[in-house]
Amino acid sequence: MTKRYIMTVLIICLIAMCMVMPAVAVELEETYLGEVTKADKATGALDVKVSAKWDGKQFAPVDPVTISGTSTFDLLFDNIKQSDEVVGTLMGSEQWIAVGLVGSKQSTQKQLLWMAGDPNAMISPFVGSYRVSYNATPNCDSCIGSVCYARSVDVTVTTVGYDANGKEYTVADVGTHTLLPADTWNTEKKENQQYLEILFMKGEAPASACPESGMIVGPQAVSEFFIRSVNVASAVPTTTPTVVEETTAVPATLPETAATPPSTTAAPAPTPVPGFGMMAAILGSAAALVVIRR
Protein backbone atom coordinates (compact mmCIF):
# COMPACT_ATOMS: atom_id res chain seq x y z
CA MET A 1 0.00 0.00 0.00
CA THR A 2 2.75 2.41 0.90
CA LYS A 3 4.66 1.87 -2.37
CA ARG A 4 1.47 2.25 -4.38
CA TYR A 5 0.66 5.48 -2.56
CA ILE A 6 4.13 6.89 -3.19
CA MET A 7 3.94 5.97 -6.88
CA THR A 8 0.55 7.62 -7.20
CA VAL A 9 1.83 10.82 -5.59
CA LEU A 10 4.84 10.91 -7.96
CA ILE A 11 2.62 10.47 -11.00
CA ILE A 12 0.31 13.24 -9.85
CA CYS A 13 3.33 15.56 -9.29
CA LEU A 14 4.71 14.85 -12.76
CA ILE A 15 1.35 15.57 -14.37
CA ALA A 16 1.08 18.82 -12.43
CA MET A 17 4.57 19.89 -13.49
CA CYS A 18 3.74 19.23 -17.15
CA MET A 19 0.59 21.33 -16.85
CA VAL A 20 2.33 24.28 -15.19
CA MET A 21 5.70 24.37 -16.96
CA PRO A 22 5.98 25.42 -20.60
CA ALA A 23 7.12 22.59 -22.84
CA VAL A 24 9.77 23.57 -25.39
CA ALA A 25 11.13 21.02 -27.85
CA VAL A 26 14.78 22.06 -28.10
CA GLU A 27 16.32 21.01 -31.39
CA LEU A 28 19.84 19.64 -31.49
CA GLU A 29 22.58 22.15 -32.34
CA GLU A 30 25.96 20.99 -33.68
CA THR A 31 28.92 23.16 -34.65
CA TYR A 32 31.34 22.27 -37.44
CA LEU A 33 34.54 23.57 -39.03
CA GLY A 34 34.89 23.15 -42.77
CA GLU A 35 35.10 24.54 -46.30
CA VAL A 36 32.18 25.89 -48.31
CA THR A 37 31.47 23.81 -51.42
CA LYS A 38 28.14 25.36 -52.40
CA ALA A 39 26.40 28.64 -51.60
CA ASP A 40 23.17 29.34 -53.49
CA LYS A 41 21.26 32.45 -52.44
CA ALA A 42 18.32 31.65 -54.71
CA THR A 43 17.53 28.37 -52.96
CA GLY A 44 19.17 29.11 -49.60
CA ALA A 45 21.36 26.01 -49.91
CA LEU A 46 24.72 25.97 -48.13
CA ASP A 47 26.97 22.90 -48.30
CA VAL A 48 30.07 22.60 -46.13
CA LYS A 49 32.76 19.91 -46.35
CA VAL A 50 33.50 19.54 -42.65
CA SER A 51 36.90 18.59 -41.25
CA ALA A 52 36.22 18.99 -37.51
CA LYS A 53 33.39 19.12 -34.99
CA TRP A 54 33.21 21.08 -31.74
CA ASP A 55 33.37 18.66 -28.79
CA GLY A 56 32.78 21.19 -26.04
CA LYS A 57 36.45 22.20 -25.66
CA GLN A 58 37.93 22.24 -29.13
CA PHE A 59 37.39 21.32 -32.78
CA ALA A 60 38.06 17.60 -32.94
CA PRO A 61 39.04 16.21 -36.38
CA VAL A 62 36.48 14.02 -38.15
CA ASP A 63 36.46 12.11 -41.42
CA PRO A 64 35.72 14.66 -44.17
CA VAL A 65 32.05 14.67 -45.12
CA THR A 66 29.82 17.22 -46.84
CA ILE A 67 26.90 18.48 -44.77
CA SER A 68 23.99 20.13 -46.58
CA GLY A 69 21.79 22.68 -44.92
CA THR A 70 19.77 25.80 -45.62
CA SER A 71 19.85 29.41 -44.45
CA THR A 72 17.52 32.38 -44.73
CA PHE A 73 20.22 34.98 -44.04
CA ASP A 74 20.68 37.07 -47.20
CA LEU A 75 23.81 38.80 -45.89
CA LEU A 76 25.43 35.40 -45.47
CA PHE A 77 25.16 34.66 -49.19
CA ASP A 78 26.20 38.22 -50.07
CA ASN A 79 29.55 37.72 -48.33
CA ILE A 80 30.42 34.04 -48.63
CA LYS A 81 31.97 32.11 -51.51
CA GLN A 82 33.20 28.63 -52.34
CA SER A 83 36.41 27.47 -50.59
CA ASP A 84 35.90 29.84 -47.65
CA GLU A 85 36.78 28.24 -44.30
CA VAL A 86 33.83 28.66 -41.95
CA VAL A 87 32.50 27.75 -38.54
CA GLY A 88 28.82 26.87 -38.72
CA THR A 89 26.13 25.79 -36.29
CA LEU A 90 23.44 23.50 -37.67
CA MET A 91 20.07 23.24 -35.91
CA GLY A 92 17.92 20.17 -36.30
CA SER A 93 20.40 18.72 -38.80
CA GLU A 94 19.02 20.97 -41.54
CA GLN A 95 19.20 24.72 -40.81
CA TRP A 96 22.39 26.80 -40.50
CA ILE A 97 21.59 29.32 -37.75
CA ALA A 98 25.10 30.80 -37.39
CA VAL A 99 27.92 30.86 -39.94
CA GLY A 100 31.20 32.77 -39.62
CA LEU A 101 34.26 33.28 -41.82
CA VAL A 102 37.50 32.10 -40.19
CA GLY A 103 40.08 34.87 -40.08
CA SER A 104 42.70 33.42 -37.73
CA LYS A 105 43.23 29.84 -38.90
CA GLN A 106 46.08 29.19 -36.48
CA SER A 107 43.98 29.82 -33.36
CA THR A 108 42.41 26.84 -31.61
CA GLN A 109 39.08 28.64 -31.42
CA LYS A 110 39.18 29.73 -35.12
CA GLN A 111 38.51 33.42 -34.59
CA LEU A 112 36.11 35.04 -37.06
CA LEU A 113 36.28 38.02 -39.41
CA TRP A 114 32.48 38.15 -39.64
CA MET A 115 29.39 36.09 -38.97
CA ALA A 116 25.76 35.99 -40.04
CA GLY A 117 23.04 34.55 -37.86
CA ASP A 118 22.63 34.04 -34.14
CA PRO A 119 25.69 34.97 -32.01
CA ASN A 120 24.35 32.94 -29.08
CA ALA A 121 24.77 29.85 -31.30
CA MET A 122 28.32 30.71 -32.38
CA ILE A 123 31.17 28.88 -30.63
CA SER A 124 34.10 30.87 -32.05
CA PRO A 125 34.94 34.41 -30.91
CA PHE A 126 35.81 37.24 -33.28
CA VAL A 127 39.30 38.41 -34.21
CA GLY A 128 40.47 40.44 -31.23
CA SER A 129 39.05 37.77 -28.88
CA TYR A 130 35.62 39.41 -28.80
CA ARG A 131 32.59 37.44 -27.65
CA VAL A 132 29.04 38.60 -28.47
CA SER A 133 25.90 37.48 -26.66
CA TYR A 134 22.40 38.88 -26.28
CA ASN A 135 19.08 38.65 -24.47
CA ALA A 136 15.90 39.24 -26.45
CA THR A 137 12.77 40.97 -25.14
CA PRO A 138 9.63 39.38 -26.62
CA ASN A 139 6.69 41.19 -28.12
CA CYS A 140 4.13 39.07 -26.34
CA ASP A 141 1.39 40.07 -28.78
CA SER A 142 3.22 38.36 -31.65
CA CYS A 143 3.90 34.87 -30.32
CA ILE A 144 3.55 31.81 -32.50
CA GLY A 145 4.07 28.54 -30.68
CA SER A 146 7.24 28.61 -28.62
CA VAL A 147 8.63 31.90 -30.02
CA CYS A 148 7.66 35.55 -30.30
CA TYR A 149 9.08 38.36 -32.37
CA ALA A 150 11.80 40.23 -30.48
CA ARG A 151 10.88 43.78 -29.54
CA SER A 152 14.56 44.54 -28.85
CA VAL A 153 17.81 42.86 -27.83
CA ASP A 154 20.37 43.70 -25.16
CA VAL A 155 23.74 42.94 -26.77
CA THR A 156 26.79 42.35 -24.58
CA VAL A 157 30.38 42.34 -25.86
CA THR A 158 33.34 41.02 -23.86
CA THR A 159 36.92 40.01 -24.55
CA VAL A 160 37.79 36.44 -23.61
CA GLY A 161 40.78 34.24 -22.87
CA TYR A 162 41.34 30.51 -22.39
CA ASP A 163 42.99 28.58 -19.57
CA ALA A 164 45.30 25.57 -19.90
CA ASN A 165 42.28 23.27 -20.22
CA GLY A 166 40.75 25.34 -23.02
CA LYS A 167 38.00 26.73 -20.79
CA GLU A 168 36.88 30.22 -21.77
CA TYR A 169 36.88 33.07 -19.25
CA THR A 170 36.04 36.77 -19.48
CA VAL A 171 38.98 39.17 -19.65
CA ALA A 172 37.11 42.47 -19.88
CA ASP A 173 33.63 43.87 -20.45
CA VAL A 174 33.39 46.06 -23.53
CA GLY A 175 29.81 47.11 -22.93
CA THR A 176 26.11 46.40 -23.34
CA HIS A 177 23.80 48.13 -25.81
CA THR A 178 20.07 47.87 -26.55
CA LEU A 179 19.23 47.46 -30.23
CA LEU A 180 15.94 47.60 -32.08
CA PRO A 181 15.51 45.74 -35.40
CA ALA A 182 17.80 47.26 -38.09
CA ASP A 183 19.93 49.08 -35.46
CA THR A 184 23.76 49.09 -35.58
CA TRP A 185 26.30 49.34 -32.77
CA ASN A 186 30.00 50.03 -33.33
CA THR A 187 32.11 49.11 -30.30
CA GLU A 188 35.10 51.26 -31.36
CA LYS A 189 37.26 52.70 -28.58
CA LYS A 190 40.42 54.80 -28.85
CA GLU A 191 42.59 52.30 -26.99
CA ASN A 192 41.53 49.29 -29.10
CA GLN A 193 43.06 48.35 -32.44
CA GLN A 194 40.13 46.06 -33.25
CA TYR A 195 36.41 46.66 -32.84
CA LEU A 196 33.07 45.18 -33.91
CA GLU A 197 30.29 46.47 -36.13
CA ILE A 198 27.07 44.81 -34.95
CA LEU A 199 23.92 44.93 -37.06
CA PHE A 200 20.76 43.47 -35.55
CA MET A 201 18.43 42.55 -38.40
CA LYS A 202 15.51 40.87 -36.64
CA GLY A 203 14.99 38.33 -33.91
CA GLU A 204 12.92 35.98 -31.86
CA ALA A 205 12.48 35.56 -28.13
CA PRO A 206 11.14 32.59 -26.17
CA ALA A 207 7.42 32.78 -25.54
CA SER A 208 8.07 31.37 -22.08
CA ALA A 209 9.29 34.86 -21.09
CA CYS A 210 5.73 36.18 -21.49
CA PRO A 211 3.32 36.07 -18.56
CA GLU A 212 0.71 33.33 -18.69
CA SER A 213 2.50 31.63 -21.57
CA GLY A 214 0.86 28.28 -20.82
CA MET A 215 1.71 25.09 -22.68
CA ILE A 216 4.29 25.75 -25.42
CA VAL A 217 5.74 23.25 -27.85
CA GLY A 218 8.22 24.15 -30.60
CA PRO A 219 11.84 24.93 -31.44
CA GLN A 220 14.07 27.49 -29.71
CA ALA A 221 14.16 31.14 -30.73
CA VAL A 222 16.70 32.24 -33.37
CA SER A 223 17.79 35.80 -34.21
CA GLU A 224 19.57 37.30 -37.21
CA PHE A 225 22.67 39.49 -36.86
CA PHE A 226 25.53 40.47 -39.12
CA ILE A 227 28.71 41.15 -37.16
CA ARG A 228 32.17 41.93 -38.50
CA SER A 229 35.57 42.60 -36.95
CA VAL A 230 37.23 45.83 -38.08
CA ASN A 231 40.92 46.71 -37.81
CA VAL A 232 41.33 50.38 -36.88
CA ALA A 233 44.50 50.72 -38.97
CA SER A 234 42.75 49.48 -42.12
CA ALA A 235 39.44 51.24 -41.61
CA VAL A 236 38.84 54.04 -44.14
CA PRO A 237 37.17 57.18 -42.68
CA THR A 238 33.87 57.81 -44.42
CA THR A 239 34.66 61.52 -44.84
CA THR A 240 37.97 60.89 -46.62
CA PRO A 241 37.90 60.35 -50.39
CA THR A 242 39.57 57.19 -51.60
CA VAL A 243 42.02 59.17 -53.73
CA VAL A 244 43.62 60.59 -50.60
CA GLU A 245 44.82 57.13 -49.66
CA GLU A 246 46.29 56.60 -53.11
CA THR A 247 48.59 59.61 -52.75
CA THR A 248 50.41 57.92 -49.90
CA ALA A 249 51.85 55.41 -52.37
CA VAL A 250 53.52 58.11 -54.51
CA PRO A 251 57.36 58.16 -54.17
CA ALA A 252 58.69 60.86 -51.85
CA THR A 253 60.57 62.60 -54.67
CA LEU A 254 57.35 63.60 -56.43
CA PRO A 255 55.83 65.67 -53.61
CA GLU A 256 59.20 67.43 -53.16
CA THR A 257 59.29 68.33 -56.86
CA ALA A 258 55.72 69.54 -56.77
CA ALA A 259 56.43 71.60 -53.66
CA THR A 260 59.41 73.44 -55.20
CA PRO A 261 58.46 77.16 -55.60
CA PRO A 262 58.46 78.56 -59.13
CA SER A 263 61.74 80.19 -60.23
CA THR A 264 61.93 84.02 -60.30
CA THR A 265 64.91 84.05 -62.77
CA ALA A 266 64.14 85.55 -66.18
CA ALA A 267 63.70 83.07 -68.97
CA PRO A 268 66.92 82.62 -71.04
CA ALA A 269 67.07 84.22 -74.48
CA PRO A 270 66.33 81.89 -77.36
CA THR A 271 69.32 80.24 -78.96
CA PRO A 272 70.33 82.05 -82.20
CA VAL A 273 69.98 80.19 -85.45
CA PRO A 274 73.43 79.18 -86.79
CA GLY A 275 74.74 81.70 -89.39
CA PHE A 276 72.30 84.45 -88.52
CA GLY A 277 75.02 86.69 -86.94
CA MET A 278 77.27 86.45 -89.99
CA MET A 279 74.44 87.41 -92.36
CA ALA A 280 73.62 90.43 -90.20
CA ALA A 281 77.26 91.58 -90.33
CA ILE A 282 77.38 91.33 -94.17
CA LEU A 283 74.15 93.28 -94.57
CA GLY A 284 75.47 95.96 -92.20
CA SER A 285 78.68 96.37 -94.19
CA ALA A 286 76.73 96.68 -97.47
CA ALA A 287 74.57 99.40 -96.02
CA ALA A 288 77.69 101.33 -94.86
CA LEU A 289 79.20 101.24 -98.42
CA VAL A 290 75.98 102.68 -99.88
CA VAL A 291 76.10 105.56 -97.41
CA ILE A 292 79.78 106.26 -98.22
CA ARG A 293 79.12 106.30 -101.98
CA ARG A 294 76.40 108.87 -101.55
Side-chain angles (χ1 to χ4, degrees):
M1 179 67 70
T2 302
K3 290 182 179 180
R4 182 176 297 178
Y5 175 77
I6 294 174
M7 184 64 68
T8 302
V9 171
L10 288 174
I11 292 173
I12 293 173
C13 289
L14 287 173
I15 293 173
M17 289 176 64
C18 291
M19 294 178 64
V20 174
M21 295 179 63
V24 178
V26 177
E27 295 194 41
L28 179 65
E29 294 181 8
E30 296 178 306
T31 301
Y32 299 96
L33 171 69
E35 184 177 288
V36 175
T37 58
K38 178 182 178 181
D40 188 345
K41 184 177 180 179
T43 62
L46 180 67
D47 293 353
V48 178
K49 185 178 181 180
V50 303
S51 57
K53 181 179 178 180
W54 184 256
D55 64 4
K57 293 183 178 180
Q58 62 183 357
F59 284 102
V62 296
D63 292 334
V65 61
T66 297
I67 293 181
S68 298
T70 60
S71 174
T72 59
F73 306 141
D74 288 342
L75 283 175
L76 168 62
F77 293 101
D78 290 341
N79 289 274
I80 207 165
K81 63 182 184 300
Q82 287 187 5
S83 78
D84 279 346
E85 185 177 24
V86 297
V87 172
T89 298
L90 195 67
M91 182 177 75
S93 301
E94 60 183 18
Q95 182 182 2
W96 295 106
I97 59 172
V99 178
L101 178 67
V102 175
S104 180
K105 297 182 179 181
Q106 288 72 31
S107 68
T108 304
Q109 291 77 28
K110 301 296 179 180
Q111 296 185 352
L112 307 176
L113 285 176
W114 57 259
M115 72 149 285
D118 195 317
N120 283 354
M122 176 52 66
I123 296 298
S124 294
F126 292 88
V127 172
S129 297
Y130 288 105
R131 169 71 64 191
V132 179
S133 60
Y134 72 95
N135 288 313
T137 300
N139 178 355
C140 294
D141 295 328
S142 65
C143 299
I144 301 175
S146 60
V147 300
C148 315
Y149 287 110
R151 187 187 304 276
S152 64
V153 290
D154 294 325
V155 182
T156 299
V157 178
T158 60
T159 55
V160 298
Y162 300 87
D163 61 22
N165 297 319
K167 185 178 180 180
E168 185 177 289
Y169 62 90
T170 299
V171 174
D173 291 322
V174 176
T176 298
H177 203 76
T178 300
L179 298 177
L180 299 176
D183 276 354
T184 301
W185 175 30
N186 291 349
T187 66
E188 183 176 6
K189 291 187 177 182
K190 291 182 178 180
E191 64 273 17
N192 294 338
Q193 293 301 310
Q194 206 84 21
Y195 68 94
L196 298 181
E197 287 182 352
I198 302 172
L199 170 62
F200 170 54
M201 302 290 290
K202 59 185 177 181
E204 297 175 341
S208 58
C210 295
E212 301 178 359
S213 57
M215 290 287 290
I216 302 171
V217 176
Q220 58 266 41
V222 176
S223 293
E224 181 179 354
F225 289 72
F226 187 80
I227 306 171
R228 72 184 187 107
S229 177
V230 181
N231 190 308
V232 174
S234 64
V236 179
T238 56
T239 56
T240 304
T242 306
V243 294
V244 174
E245 290 189 348
E246 294 176 354
T247 61
T248 60
V250 178
T253 54
L254 293 183
E256 290 179 2
T257 302
T260 303
S263 174
T264 56
T265 306
T271 304
V273 177
F276 180 80
M278 183 178 292
M279 292 176 64
I282 294 171
L283 292 174
S285 298
L289 287 176
V290 171
V291 172
I292 291 172
R293 288 181 179 179
R294 288 182 180 177

